[in-house]
Amino acid sequence: MTTRQILVTAPKSSLSYLVQGIRDVGVVDLKVIEAADPPGDVVLLILAEDGSRQDLLDRMQAVFGPEDEDCWRITLLPIEATVPRLDVEEEAEKPKERREFASTGRTREEIYDSVWRNARTDRNYITFVVLSTIVAAFGMLADNVAVVVGAMVIAPLLGPNLALSVGIALGDGQLMAKALRTNLAGVVVALGLSLAIGLLWPPDLASRELLSRSAVGFDGMAIALASGAAAALSLVTGLSAALVGVMVAVALLPPTVAIGLFVGFGHPDLANGAATLLAVNVVCVNLAAQTVMISRGITPRTFYEKKSASRAQWISAAISLGLLGVLAGLIWWRLLHPAA
């Protein structure tokens, strides 16, 4: 179980409501300090664990209200260790009332901040796409598994897809639009660069690494679903190390690069297969990630926001399931007609 230091600056007039809300939730430690500047404010130092952190943030935001945003701020700080040591086992044995949300390990605000950074179409993102495209293209042309895995680990397209799933779970149209723009920009850059390489490089279809991206089966669909769920779970729990395995298991960039190479080599049939693989990976990752977000209780704070998010979730699920059905039918048809 992880702990966070929560630093709250707020008007002194709200102190009694804040303390009452904090006591209702229960925290490891609470200290109140009088602020010197600006006068009339207080600073609260709170030590909170996983199970109570989201409920605590929601209650404090409900006390402040949106109209007071210039007067208060909540900051979450990571903690490496505390002395004396927290007795985590004893705390875990205490009975806790049933919460509306699931304990995720990270709060809604932490998850949002993480994916918002990953959904930016900035110079660093484009640079990573260009570099990973070059690595993936020449790795597949050289039939070098290690080089292709290196391109997978860079994985610039995974972040925007996770951001899209979070945006859908929270009903945040701004985050969804930003993630879609970033996804589109990455795919366009990767396709354009790989197409240029395919046009300039002598055609070579002897590479197994390249040809393996021209076909997809139901096993690939199952892998993409499981990997998408694992990616979302690592995001909401904060276990980012697990993302490395997900990047390799369901890489989005190599099939994108394969499309450009096949088109450049003049093989639209193989490019079609790579496009199907890319579509399967994208749809499965997003569908599985959305399912995990909902099951782990990643929802907006207010009733009206939850209602809007629920509508976005149903629409997205219907579109994803429809696309998955079409792709499954296409895979089945290709299995029955391998020569087509």
Side-chain angles (χ1 to χ4, degrees):
M1 183 175 291
T2 60
T3 56
R4 291 285 189 276
Q5 180 80 65
I6 302 178
L7 175 65
V8 184
T9 55
K12 193 172 183 178
S13 58
S14 63
L15 180 60
S16 60
Y17 300 102
L18 286 173
V19 171
Q20 183 60 49
I22 293 169
R23 285 175 177 168
D24 289 343
V25 174
V27 294
V28 177
D29 192 23
L30 168 64
K31 294 290 186 292
V32 180
I33 304 171
E34 195 87 26
D37 185 26
D41 277 11
V42 290
V43 178
L44 283 74
L45 298 176
I46 305 166
L47 195 62
E49 294 179 340
D50 289 348
S52 62
R53 202 155 59 236
Q54 185 65 75
D55 195 9
L56 179 62
L57 291 179
D58 288 348
R59 287 178 184 247
M60 288 193 292
Q61 290 179 75
V63 168
F64 296 135
E67 68 277 2
D68 299 325
E69 287 181 354
D70 294 335
C71 305
W72 60 271
R73 182 168 297 279
I74 302 173
T75 305
L76 277 72
L77 304 173
I79 292 179
E80 296 296 332
T82 63
V83 180
R85 183 177 61 86
L86 295 176
D87 195 342
V88 177
E89 291 183 1
E90 182 180 330
E91 290 293 327
E93 291 174 359
K94 293 180 180 179
K96 296 183 179 180
E97 63 177 293
R98 189 167 178 262
R99 305 293 185 191
E100 181 185 353
F101 55 88
S103 175
T104 63
R106 301 179 82 189
T107 62
R108 178 195 315 113
E109 290 76 12
E110 291 173 290
I111 295 169
Y112 188 93
D113 185 63
S114 174
V115 299
W116 181 266
R117 292 194 301 269
N118 291 333
R120 291 182 298 190
T121 314
D122 55 12
R123 183 184 301 174
N124 289 333
Y125 173 74
I126 298 299
T127 301
F128 274 122
V129 171
V130 170
L131 293 176
S132 56
T133 298
I134 294 172
V135 172
F138 288 104
M140 287 189 290
L141 289 172
D143 202 14
N144 192 319
V145 178
V147 175
V148 177
V149 170
M152 293 175 178
V153 173
I154 299 173
L157 300 182
L158 184 60
N161 277 280
L162 289 177
L164 178 62
S165 300
V166 173
I168 293 169
L170 298 179
D172 190 314
Q174 187 178 7
L175 179 59
M176 285 188 278
K178 186 176 183 181
L180 286 171
R181 285 196 302 269
T182 303
N183 263 316
L184 181 61
V187 170
V188 168
V189 170
L191 281 175
L193 183 55
S194 59
L195 175 60
I197 294 173
L199 291 172
L200 297 174
W201 202 260
D204 181 11
L205 299 179
S207 169
R208 288 178 297 176
E209 282 296 310
L210 180 59
L211 287 178
S212 66
R213 268 76 191 185
S214 65
V216 60
F218 291 109
D219 55 342
M221 186 176 289
I223 291 171
L225 286 169
S227 299
L233 194 59
S234 66
L235 175 66
V236 300
T237 57
L239 301 176
S240 56
L243 274 175
V244 176
V246 173
M247 292 169 185
V248 176
V250 61
L252 302 176
L253 193 75
T256 307
V257 174
I259 296 171
L261 291 176
F262 286 135
V263 172
F265 291 161
H267 290 275
D269 52 331
L270 296 178
N272 249 350
T276 304
L277 174 60
L278 176 63
V280 166
N281 284 349
V282 170
V283 171
C284 289
V285 165
N286 281 282
L287 181 61
Q290 291 167 37
T291 303
V292 170
M293 298 289 173
I294 296 169
S295 66
R296 299 289 290 188
I298 308 301
T299 60
R301 183 172 61 87
T302 67
F303 170 79
Y304 292 106
E305 288 174 338
K306 288 180 180 179
K307 190 174 181 180
S308 175
S310 178
R311 188 182 307 114
Q313 290 162 9
W314 279 109
I315 293 173
S316 175
I319 293 174
S320 297
L321 288 172
L323 289 173
L324 194 62
V326 171
L327 291 169
L330 183 59
I331 292 172
W332 182 258
W333 187 85
R334 286 189 172 178
L335 289 174
L336 293 178
H337 305 85

